[in-house]
């Protein structure tokens, strides 16, 4: 289970601050968790996270591996806005069984279960999260999602992680152009995998570079593919990779 840092954002400008930065509509906090990303001005991925309304504050659930840099970036954008960013002291609980009181559904996919934030140590119910992610092509921070990622190539529209009607945010222009004016030629896709290969292994098709193989589980995997070359049986080290979706 990846470690998470749960931040608390408070202050009278919190909602407007977030609304002008992140890929999703903060109005969704009235209905549950919001999944969103922070992008560079060039539209590339910086961080993905969950947001939750908690009284007059907002909790932000982000990977511990990128938390320090993420807080620095938020602080850079904060300027004179009335927003305080601090550690909440809370920890993530998640699972796919009966949800405890206060838990909310993961907005990315129903099979990803629920998330809750408590003072207890971070824990889950033993769910095989990689198997679920691979089944539904759901990327993970630091594995499929890297500083080279574009969120539409990473499936954020299907994961309820981007809103095309909310107005401006950092990286919005590039994201909107990819949505409305171009046909995606690369992206994350589900593949079948006969054998295994380390995460990050290059995929070859007819001897030409066709992409990269990432998380694998039960004979399936998530791959970033150049779609015009993703045909037939492809090779990733000792594994045979075939596009399924």
């Amino acid at each position: 289970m990846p470690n998470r840092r749960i931040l608390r954002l408070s202050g009278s400008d919190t909602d407007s601050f977030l609304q002008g930065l992140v890929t999703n509509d903060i109005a969704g906090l009235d209905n549950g968790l919001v999944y969103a990303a922070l992008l560079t001005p060039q539209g590339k991925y910086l961080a993905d996270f969950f947001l939750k309304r908690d009284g007059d504050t907002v909790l932000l659930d982000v990977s511990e591996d990128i938390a320090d840099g993420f807080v620095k970036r938020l602080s850079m954008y904060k300027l004179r806005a009335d927003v305080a960013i601090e550690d909440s002291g809370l920890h993530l609980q998640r699972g796919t069984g009966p949800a405890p009181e206060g838990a909310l559904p993961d907005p990315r996919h129903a099979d990803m279960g629920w998330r809750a934030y408590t003072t207890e140590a971070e824990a889950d119910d033993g769910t095989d999260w990689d198997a679920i992610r691979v089944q539904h092509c759901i990327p993970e921070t630091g594995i499929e999602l890297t500083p080279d990622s574009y969120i539409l190539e990473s499936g954020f529209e299907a994961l309820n992680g981007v809103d095309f009607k909310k107005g401006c945010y950092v990286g919005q222009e590039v994201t909107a152009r990819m949505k409305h004016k171009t046909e995606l030629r690369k992206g994350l896709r589900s593949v079948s995998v006969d054998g295994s290969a380390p995460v990050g292994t290059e995929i070859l098709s007819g001897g030409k570079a066709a992409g990269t193989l990432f998380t694998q589980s039960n004979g399936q995997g998530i791959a970033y593919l150049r779609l015009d070359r993703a045909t037939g049986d492809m090779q990733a080290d000792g594994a045979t990779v075939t596009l399924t979706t």
Side-chain angles (χ1 to χ4, degrees):
M1 179 176 176
N3 291 330
R4 309 291 293 184
R5 187 182 300 182
I6 314 304
L7 303 169
R8 185 182 300 279
L9 278 65
S10 60
S12 61
D13 295 330
T14 295
D15 280 18
S16 59
F17 171 70
L18 289 170
Q19 187 74 341
L21 286 180
V22 308
T23 59
N24 216 335
D25 192 343
I26 301 306
L29 289 172
D30 294 335
N31 301 316
L33 291 178
V34 169
Y35 180 59
L38 178 67
L39 310 179
T40 68
Q42 295 75 35
K44 288 194 173 185
Y45 167 92
L46 282 172
D48 64 313
F49 42 85
F50 299 86
L51 300 167
K52 178 186 182 294
R53 181 81 68 196
D54 189 34
D56 295 331
T57 71
V58 173
L59 299 179
L60 193 154
D61 165 4
V62 66
S63 170
E64 180 64 47
D65 291 342
I66 61 172
D68 287 344
F70 177 66
V71 170
K72 288 180 181 178
R73 182 61 66 115
L74 288 183
S75 298
M76 180 186 75
Y77 282 121
K78 187 166 71 71
L79 299 176
R80 296 183 180 179
D82 179 22
V83 180
I85 306 166
E86 57 190 352
D87 196 321
S88 69
L90 300 176
H91 304 284
L92 172 66
Q93 318 293 322
R94 65 174 180 166
T96 53
E101 184 177 355
L104 293 170
D106 188 317
R108 295 174 296 177
H109 194 283
D111 287 355
M112 290 297 287
W114 48 264
R115 302 174 83 89
Y117 305 99
T118 74
T119 56
E120 299 176 9
E122 185 168 321
D124 65 22
D125 61 359
T127 293
D128 187 342
W129 299 106
D130 278 352
I132 298 174
R133 290 200 307 103
V134 166
Q135 181 181 358
H136 300 295
C137 201
I138 299 173
E140 180 65 59
T141 311
I143 303 177
E144 292 84 13
L145 293 172
T146 74
D148 290 325
S149 298
Y150 290 101
I151 61 168
L152 295 192
E153 292 183 345
S154 301
F156 266 60
E157 187 170 6
L159 300 174
N160 303 307
V162 58
D163 188 295
F164 294 103
K165 299 179 181 179
K166 62 161 285 186
C168 293
Y169 56 87
V170 178
Q172 182 266 344
E173 183 176 351
V174 174
T175 305
R177 186 164 62 247
M178 292 181 72
K179 165 67 174 175
H180 298 294
K181 295 185 178 181
T182 63
E183 180 179 354
L184 295 180
R185 299 179 180 180
K186 301 177 182 179
L188 294 180
R189 294 293 187 272
S190 296
V191 294
S192 63
V193 183
D194 184 5
S196 64
V199 168
T201 298
E202 182 180 44
I203 298 172
L204 300 176
S205 177
K208 296 181 178 180
T212 307
L213 182 61
F214 292 108
T215 306
Q216 301 148 64
S217 178
N218 301 319
Q220 296 180 295
I222 299 174
Y224 180 77
L225 294 172
R226 177 172 164 171
L227 300 178
D228 63 339
R229 294 182 178 175
T231 58
D233 289 344
M234 299 173 284
Q235 301 301 313
D237 197 6
T240 299
V241 177
T242 308
L243 178 66
T244 56
T245 59

